[in-house]
Amino acid sequence: MTTDTTGTVARDGDSRPGGPADSPFIRACRRRPVPHTPVWFMRQAGRSLPEYREIRASVPMLESCRRPELVTEITLQPVRRHGVDAAILFSDIVVPVAAAGIDLDIVPGTGPVVAEPIRTAADVERIRRITRDDVSYVDEAVRQLVVELGDTPLIGFAGAPFTLASYLVEGGPSRTHAKTKALMYGDPELWHALCARLAEVTLAFLRVQIEAGVSAVQLFDSWAGALSEADYRRFVLPHSTTVLSGLVNSGVPRIHFGVGTGELLGAMGEAGADVVGVDWRTPLDVATGRIGADKAVQGNLDPCVLLAPWPVVEAEVRRILEQGRAAPGHVFNLGHGVLPETDPEVLTRVVALVHELSSRRADQG
Ligand code: CP3
């Protein structure tokens, strides 16, 4: 193991020149100079790709996450097609929760639906701690992918305690998170017990992915923007910190992302992130002011912009590259996931444009 200038412990072996740890994506996460701004898209695997829809036509979502050969194929599809700088593991945030013993399904057109929502201390105990054996299909898929991807880094991920708690308490997707907040305000002790257990499951799940070889991890707290900063700090930050600080010596950069989190960006960085994800509401230069100069940023392109004519897309890509220069490291991405109706050709063009506009000749330093 070696320690670089950012104090990060690099993994032996894969930090060789040209390997995944030396890729533009990982270099940007670590705030090192890059040959071009790296780009990938949240929810790039699946969604808009016809080759993905063909596979999924006969396989339910959760089953597809548990078949390593399908996970590998779906994860590779956007890398082959778009030439993105990183792959993201094909899975879902509820996969570890199902592995922990919670009866749930992913219902087409709806999302995760939990058979018996979590409402009591006894319910919290139903969420078992997990080991590698509970998610051996993820371990196997990551190992296959690392071989297939070669020098392209693989991003592992998990849902953060608040976002997972929302699905578990509501029983499914919710616009207001009313039941979740009622529990949080009404029974803080139970709330903290639930989030502490979810943090344990999430941390174990991310450690399995890191041991199997992912080059970075992203913690999705998609719905954290539903909270004020004060409530975020009191009810959520300690648990997300358990997860992210638990990986501080893992040797891989940690990305922390949520939607509608303009007011929370500083706190989300404090939770222990190397990179903070930014939605489309906060420009990257403003975000950097809130996060501080010791972290990289990722995101900001409104996924809906990709549905507009190309000159609009191009202008937005240029704006984001320009504003991203304020940050000590910039990973180009959307402000949230790719919409299913996106034309995949537009994604390919965005990748090429980001690379072209941001290419730095070696003699420019
Ligand atoms: O989008 C986010 O905010 C990221 C975090 C998140 C994921 N799943 C990660 C993910 C969230 C909040 C979910 C919950 C979920 N799972 C929903 C949203 C429901 C709601 O509350 O609005 C849905 C529809 C699912 C089911 C699901 N997950 C499907 C059908 C698929 C495959 C194709 C698709 O639609 O993207 C997934 C894959 C998935 N979920 C990935 C990730 C990171 C892997 C694909 C990728 O990132 O490229």
Side-chain angles (χ1 to χ4, degrees):
M1 305 280 256
T2 52
T3 304
D4 69 20
T5 51
T6 58
T8 309
V9 181
R11 290 151 169 253
D12 283 332
D14 65 2
S15 57
R16 69 196 150 79
D22 191 38
S23 62
F25 169 69
I26 298 296
R27 293 182 68 89
C29 292
R30 293 209 161 117
R31 296 173 281 121
R32 292 189 189 142
V34 287
H36 61 257
T37 302
V39 48
W40 68 280
F41 304 107
M42 288 187 275
R43 310 294 283 269
Q44 66 188 12
R47 295 260 166 136
S48 67
L49 300 188
E51 58 268 37
Y52 163 76
R53 295 209 186 110
E54 205 181 306
I55 293 181
R56 280 290 320 286
S58 57
V59 192
M61 177 60 193
L62 270 181
E63 188 188 332
S64 66
C65 296
R66 292 177 182 142
R67 286 176 48 183
E69 79 286 3
L70 293 188
V71 172
T72 302
E73 170 56 25
I74 297 171
T75 301
L76 292 173
Q77 285 175 347
V79 180
R80 284 189 205 118
R81 194 189 248 267
H82 308 305
V84 281
D85 290 277
I88 180 156
L89 181 73
F90 181 77
S91 187
D92 190 77
I93 58 166
V94 295
V95 164
V97 182
I102 298 304
D103 183 5
L104 58 85
D105 197 8
I106 295 182
V107 177
T110 302
V113 174
V114 180
E116 291 176 61
I118 303 286
R119 305 276 161 76
T120 66
D123 289 338
V124 171
E125 286 309 312
R126 288 197 279 120
I127 310 170
R128 296 193 307 255
R129 292 173 176 87
I130 62 166
T131 67
R132 196 206 66 90
D133 290 345
D134 295 306
V135 287
S136 55
Y137 41 86
V138 170
D139 172 77
E140 207 180 305
V142 170
R143 286 176 198 276
Q144 276 178 20
L145 275 163
V146 168
V147 174
E148 296 275 339
L149 283 162
D151 295 336
T152 302
L154 175 64
I155 304 168
F157 76 91
F162 177 78
T163 294
L164 290 178
S166 170
Y167 286 106
L168 291 177
V169 175
E170 304 286 337
S174 161
R175 206 169 45 81
T176 57
H177 309 279
K179 294 189 181 81
T180 313
K181 289 187 183 181
L183 189 149
M184 188 177 91
Y185 294 125
D187 193 344
E189 198 184 328
L190 177 58
W191 171 260
H192 284 296
L194 169 60
C195 288
R197 177 59 57 90
L198 290 172
E200 275 186 77
V201 170
T202 295
L203 184 54
F205 187 55
L206 289 172
R207 282 186 171 142
V208 169
Q209 297 176 54
I210 292 168
E211 273 166 35
V214 301
S215 293
V217 292
Q218 177 155 325
L219 189 65
F220 283 94
D221 210 351
S222 302
W223 312 143
L227 299 173
S228 68
E229 185 185 351
D231 287 343
Y232 178 84
R233 285 186 179 279
R234 178 171 164 209
F235 293 111
V236 177
L237 183 61
H239 305 291
S240 295
T241 303
T242 300
V243 178
L244 291 169
S245 67
L247 300 174
V248 72
N249 292 319
S250 67
V252 306
R254 303 150 297 169
I255 310 168
H256 196 187
F257 166 77
V259 182
T261 51
E263 300 297 324
L264 308 180
L265 289 170
M268 289 182 76
E270 284 171 39
D274 301 289
V275 184
V276 177
V278 182
D279 80 358
W280 59 91
R281 295 171 179 92
T282 315
L284 293 180
D285 49 355
V286 176
T288 298
R290 294 180 186 176
I291 295 161
D294 61 339
K295 299 188 196 314
V297 293
Q298 169 181 285
N300 195 233
L301 180 61
D302 188 330
C304 297
V305 165
L306 298 177
L307 310 177
W310 178 253
V312 179
V313 180
E314 177 167 348
E316 280 295 275
V317 169
R318 286 179 184 275
R319 175 186 65 79
I320 289 166
L321 283 173
E322 197 47 46
Q323 291 170 342
R325 292 160 67 95
H330 176 205
V331 176
F332 195 97
N333 206 319
L334 307 180
H336 198 185
V338 174
L339 296 170
E341 59 267 44
T342 309
D343 176 356
E345 306 254 325
V346 175
L347 295 173
T348 308
R349 282 184 83 177
V350 168
V351 173
L353 182 64
V354 170
H355 286 169
E356 181 200 319
L357 293 176
S358 66
S359 280
R360 295 162 187 93
R361 290 199 323 266
D363 59 345
Q364 289 179 323

